[in-house]
Amino acid sequence: DQQVKQNSPSLSVQEGRISILNCDYTNSMFDYFLWYKKYPAEGPTFLISISSIKDKNEDGRFTVFLNKSAKHLSLHIVPSQPGDSAVYFCAALTGGGNKLTFGTGTQLKVEL
Amino acid sequence: ETGVTQSPTHLIKTRGQQVTLRCSSQSGHNTVSWYQQALGQGPQFIFQYYREEENGRGNFPPRFSGLQFPNYSSELNVNALELDDSALYLCASSLRVGAGVYEQYFGPGTRLTVT
């Protein structure tokens, strides 16, 4: 049972434009959400997080939006840069718990 | 500040053998989690250690075991290796404050191949 879903395996965006990566979840007990970026041959790098008591969190070019009623979150990257090309994972936590539940990832390619 | 390190980088083992993977936590962190990432999948939680004790376990059999040492470094041991154990093994460290563990910071992983 995939509790965190990233339905787009890949996304291609032109440099300077907005990248929008989507994530859906089914477990209503999730209350903290994180985005990680992963380059080949490296571990996931923490990008940004959001608590379920908020609907938006912004950090530089990265903004995460949370829609609790739809059990949906998205990561916006503006403007997109070639160095943003990587696999992006959405992950969720329950009650400050120990286990991160990950989606299957979206491969973002930012083209010149 | 030292990040999370893992050793070895790559490892090839034969089915039925045993393997030990090692992880050093990020400075100031007291909690270590281990994840298995199969090709094309997201990381799957194996277990977490806090204060040298297991603090939660995912859906992995008992032949997956671990240790955390007083300096917060950790080992993952896998006995009786199976072909399906071939994966990237990721260690993540974090700082537990009160009852919560939030952002986890990952090492580069160990690529295990079982033949």
Side-chain angles (χ1 to χ4, degrees), chain A residues 99-111:
Chain A
K99 167 187 170 181
L100 281 171
T101 300
F102 282 86
T104 52
T106 296
Q107 173 76 59
L108 172 66
K109 183 177 181 182
V110 180
E111 299 172 319

Side-chain angles (χ1 to χ4, degrees), chain A residues 32 36 43 49 96 98 100 103, chain B residues 35 37 42 48 55 101 103-104 107:
Chain A
Y32 200 81
Y36 286 85
S49 60
N98 46 29
L100 281 171
Chain B
Y35 292 80
Q37 185 179 14
Q48 183 182 86
N55 178 47
V101 171
E103 286 81 12
Q104 298 184 18

Side-chain angles (χ1 to χ4, degrees), chain B residues 22-115:
Chain B
R22 294 179 175 82
C23 171
S24 291
S25 303
Q26 182 169 315
S27 175
H29 285 180
N30 57 13
T31 303
V32 175
S33 306
W34 286 92
Y35 292 80
Q36 179 195 66
Q37 185 179 14
L39 206 58
Q41 301 296 316
Q44 299 288 317
F45 176 72
I46 303 175
F47 43 56
Q48 183 182 86
Y49 278 82
Y50 171 64
R51 290 188 175 176
E52 302 176 51
E53 292 192 0
E54 189 177 287
N55 178 47
R57 187 179 184 94
N59 189 25
F60 281 82
R63 58 189 186 84
F64 285 77
S65 63
L67 284 173
Q68 186 184 31
F69 300 99
N71 66 355
Y72 304 123
S73 65
S74 176
E75 287 182 355
L76 164 65
N77 298 289
V78 187
N79 293 322
L81 284 166
E82 300 177 359
L83 297 179
D84 284 350
D85 295 334
S86 295
L88 180 67
Y89 287 85
L90 294 162
C91 167
S93 76
S94 49
L95 177 62
R96 181 169 176 157
V97 179
V101 171
Y102 295 94
E103 286 81 12
Q104 298 184 18
Y105 296 87
F106 286 83
T110 294
R111 172 70 62 187
L112 173 65
T113 302
V114 182
T115 61

